[in-house]
Amino acid sequence: MNLFSDLEKFSSNTCVVDQNYKKFSYLDLLKLSDFSTSKIKKGSVVFLLCENSFEFLAIYVGLIRKKIATFLLGSNINDDYLNNLIKLYQPQFIIKPITIKFENSFEEEKIISQKYHILKTEFDFYSIKRDLALLLSTSGSTGSPRFVKISYVNIFDNTKRISDFLKISSKDTAITSLQPNYVYGLSIINSHLIKGAKLVMCKYSLVEKKFWELLKKTKVTNFGGVPYTYDLLDKLKFEKMNLPNLKYITQAGGKLSLNLLEKFISICKKKRLKMIIMYGQTEASGRISFLDWKFIEKKRGSIGKPIKGGKFFLYNNKKKMIDNNIKSGELVYEGKNVMLGYATNRKDLNKDHSEKKLFTGDIARKDDDGFYFIEGRNTRFIKITGHRFNLEELQNELEKNKIFCVCTGSEDNLKIFLKKKFSHKKLSEFILKRFNIKKINYLIYENVAIPRNENGKILYNKLNNI
């Protein structure tokens, strides 16, 4: 099933309002979609540099409808990284915003709607898996050449489940608060398109006044954010904003701190908004669990239960399913939306690595009511003097005591990065009392600007290099 095969039934609906308040119908979208992909052969491999604009959306929809394997890349991609990906994957076409320049020896150039260029490369057509739809990175705009392979079935199944759960209709309006090459941002776009809803496509940041003016004037009914988004909303005094058309907000992309969660639960109650906590993985095409608003207080900190059609399991470190009496282990997901596997070069695009179960790398526990709670990452554990410590738990305990930080480290070498100044004496006393960790086993860094990728996720590798 092709995700966008029947958008024609929404032809007269408004599809996009751009940041200049210009409106485009679904018919406008389909016309530009067909035009932009008319010279690209079905089964080709294309690099699409993304931005939140009508033109990007039309090209993306066209590529999916025509079954052209598409790498979604951030428009702020590093030149060296992009050139390395070109060598590894040898795409037949590169589609980019007209404002982005980079050196190349490509044969021809086509202009789409004065906003996007199509560049034809010197690489020949080659064989790929017929059901390969999208290739998504999990490492932001710079990093590994490994991409997640998503099939048409994967993305259709996940999009339908999410749009049905959220009860999205043609009357809804969402705004692009995240980048479309990030699976959560893409999920918001997809789940609204298949219901004939409206998308407000803008490049404004949440800290810009124009974002909120646009949101209010276009009567946006919902938007999504990662934990960093909610940090910004807190600083922007979200509780004082008058947003009468907003019905609900979603949060995914990492665990929200308990302090911030409590604050937004209170805000949403006062504003008569619903806040829906979700959990996702790029390898599962988007969002795979939800915590309904009615359980948000009773099950604080939970990622809820899997979406319809999906299942969660807990496995031990030997990759064996845990007995029902044991409630903690690695979270494993099963569903039709689990990826085809990973790719690191063009040869991998023709390999069949269809996965049935996804080992998420997250350590979780299940309570007696079947709700799941993330406790940390497999990679977020270190040993100090022979004892195993969960860095997420350590951070959470410090935060409860108004010590806001990020923790990283390696064996017998804990690093604590404080966002603000804090008494070293009080911090050392707390760590010794609560965790029995002595000063010789950790270092404290003050006033650290926490490095993040374009989706707000913490770059732990960069922190470790400080």
Side-chain angles (χ1 to χ4, degrees):
M1 174 68 74
N2 194 303
L3 184 64
F4 302 129
S5 59
D6 60 351
L7 293 185
E8 283 82 0
K9 65 185 180 183
F10 305 123
S11 289
S12 61
N13 291 16
T14 299
C15 178
V16 170
V17 179
D18 71 13
Q19 62 188 44
N20 297 314
Y21 298 91
K22 186 175 180 180
K23 293 181 179 180
F24 300 88
S25 69
Y26 274 82
L27 182 60
D28 295 329
L29 179 86
L30 292 171
K31 283 180 179 178
L32 186 54
S33 294
D34 292 342
F35 173 73
S36 62
T37 58
S38 59
K39 302 291 185 181
I40 303 176
K41 184 179 175 182
K42 179 181 176 180
S44 297
V45 176
V46 170
F47 281 9
L48 174 58
L49 274 60
C50 306
E51 63 176 22
N52 282 315
S53 67
F54 168 70
E55 288 74 20
F56 155 76
L57 189 67
I59 296 164
Y60 163 67
V61 167
L63 293 170
I64 294 293
R65 280 166 63 92
K66 199 168 179 180
K67 293 201 169 182
I68 296 162
T70 305
F71 283 75
L72 293 182
L73 305 170
S75 57
N76 62 343
I77 190 168
N78 176 280
D79 282 354
D80 290 337
Y81 180 40
L82 177 59
N83 288 328
N84 184 45
L85 293 179
I86 291 170
K87 289 176 185 175
L88 287 170
Y89 290 102
Q90 300 180 5
Q92 286 85 52
F93 296 90
I94 297 172
I95 307 179
K96 66 177 187 64
I98 199 168
T99 53
I100 295 175
K101 309 290 182 185
F102 63 92
E103 292 184 12
N104 62 74
S105 56
F106 303 142
E107 295 173 18
E108 64 181 63
E109 190 173 277
K110 177 183 175 183
I111 298 175
I112 303 173
S113 186
Q114 303 300 315
K115 296 281 182 74
Y116 261 81
H117 277 181
I118 295 183
L119 306 178
K120 190 176 187 310
T121 72
E122 68 271 21
F123 302 115
D124 294 329
F125 189 87
Y126 59 84
S127 180
I128 62 169
K129 288 291 294 178
R130 289 177 62 187
D131 55 346
L132 179 60
L134 290 173
L135 293 115
L136 301 172
S137 173
T138 59
S139 60
S141 58
T142 60
S144 168
R146 187 174 79 159
F147 280 74
V148 173
K149 298 190 294 184
I150 302 294
S151 74
Y152 293 97
V153 171
N154 291 158
I155 196 167
F156 177 80
D157 183 79
N158 189 252
T159 301
K160 188 177 186 310
R161 303 289 189 191
I162 295 299
S163 59
D164 287 349
F165 163 69
L166 292 173
K167 296 182 173 62
I168 296 170
S169 76
S170 59
K171 295 179 181 179
D172 281 303
T173 303
I175 191 167
T176 53
S177 51
L178 300 164
Q179 292 303 309
N181 55 298
Y182 173 42
V183 72
Y184 180 19
L186 188 67
S187 177
I188 292 170
I189 288 171
N190 291 337
S191 57
H192 283 76
L193 281 179
I194 69 164
K195 294 294 186 178
K198 189 188 303 177
L199 288 163
V200 179
M201 304 289 290
C202 74
K203 302 174 193 175
Y204 298 134
S205 161
L206 267 71
V207 298
E208 295 181 79
K209 187 179 178 181
K210 288 182 178 180
F211 176 90
W212 297 104
E213 289 174 349
L214 185 62
L215 183 147
K216 194 169 181 178
K217 287 179 181 178
T218 54
K219 299 181 179 180
V220 165
T221 59
N222 69 86
F223 71 86
V226 296
Y228 183 59
T229 308
Y230 284 85
D231 282 333
L232 289 177
L233 291 176
D234 185 33
K235 291 172 184 173
L236 292 168
K237 308 290 185 188
F238 181 69
E239 67 272 17
K240 294 183 179 179
M241 295 182 185
N242 180 27
L243 306 169
N245 296 290
L246 208 58
K247 295 192 299 186
Y248 68 87
I249 54 178
T250 62
Q251 186 270 312
K255 191 174 182 179
L256 200 63
S257 72
L258 287 176
N259 282 347
L260 210 52
L261 178 61
E262 291 284 358
K263 191 165 189 175
F264 274 90
I265 290 172
S266 175
I267 291 170
C268 287
K269 277 183 167 184
K270 290 174 184 175
K271 286 182 171 289
R272 295 185 178 179
L273 283 175
K274 291 180 180 179
M275 182 180 187
I276 300 166
I277 305 297
M278 309 187 86
Y279 168 82
Q281 293 277 322
T282 305
E283 290 87 346
S285 316
R287 293 170 279 179
I288 58 178
S289 80
F290 63 89
L291 179 67
D292 206 320
W293 169 247
K294 63 186 176 184
F295 295 113
I296 200 164
E297 289 186 281
K298 186 179 177 183
K299 301 294 181 180
R300 281 181 180 84
S302 173
I303 61 166
K305 296 182 178 182
I307 58 172
K308 189 176 181 180
K311 295 178 182 177
F312 278 152
F313 306 93
L314 296 176
Y315 276 59
N316 63 23
N317 56 12
K318 293 181 180 178
K319 303 295 182 184
K320 299 292 182 183
M321 196 183 301
I322 287 173
D323 184 274
N324 283 335
N325 294 324
I326 303 171
K327 299 295 176 94
S328 185
E330 182 176 357
L331 188 67
V332 176
Y333 175 80
E334 182 179 78
K336 287 184 179 180
N337 49 314
V338 175
M339 66 176 175
L340 297 174
Y342 294 106
T344 56
N345 56 56
R346 59 165 274 186
K347 291 180 181 178
D348 292 335
L349 303 188
N350 196 35
K351 290 179 180 177
D352 189 358
H353 293 302
S354 297
E355 305 285 343
K356 292 183 179 179
K357 286 187 172 71
L358 172 65
F359 286 77
T360 66
D362 286 321
I363 304 301
R365 65 178 172 86
K366 182 173 74 168
D367 73 8
D368 292 334
D369 297 318
F371 287 80
Y372 288 80
F373 296 76
I374 301 296
E375 296 184 328
R377 290 285 295 170
N378 263 339
T379 53
R380 295 279 290 147
F381 285 81
I382 63 171
K383 280 190 175 181
I384 299 175
T385 61
H387 297 282
R388 196 163 180 256
F389 287 89
N390 181 339
L391 293 174
E392 297 294 331
E393 183 183 343
L394 201 151
Q395 280 177 199
N396 289 338
E397 287 299 310
L398 290 169
E399 187 175 296
K400 286 177 186 176
N401 288 270
K402 308 298 182 184
I403 305 168
F404 300 100
C405 66
V406 174
C407 298
T408 70
S410 54
E411 190 162 343
D412 290 329
N413 183 23
L414 171 65
K415 293 182 179 181
I416 302 170
F417 299 91
L418 297 172
K419 299 175 185 178
K420 297 178 181 178
K421 283 189 176 183
F422 191 84
S423 165
H424 284 214
K425 184 181 178 183
K426 287 183 180 178
L427 178 56
S428 299
E429 287 174 353
F430 177 80
I431 291 174
L432 182 62
K433 183 179 179 181
R434 175 66 180 80
F435 297 102
N436 197 28
I437 301 175
K438 297 177 181 177
K439 287 181 74 174
I440 194 171
N441 293 123
Y442 61 86
L443 292 170
I444 298 171
Y445 301 81
E446 287 188 327
N447 290 325
V448 177
I450 305 300
R452 298 175 184 272
N453 69 11
E454 60 187 357
N455 304 315
K457 289 194 174 182
I458 296 170
L459 299 171
Y460 290 104
N461 287 340
K462 285 193 175 183
L463 271 179
N464 278 328
N465 291 332
I466 292 178

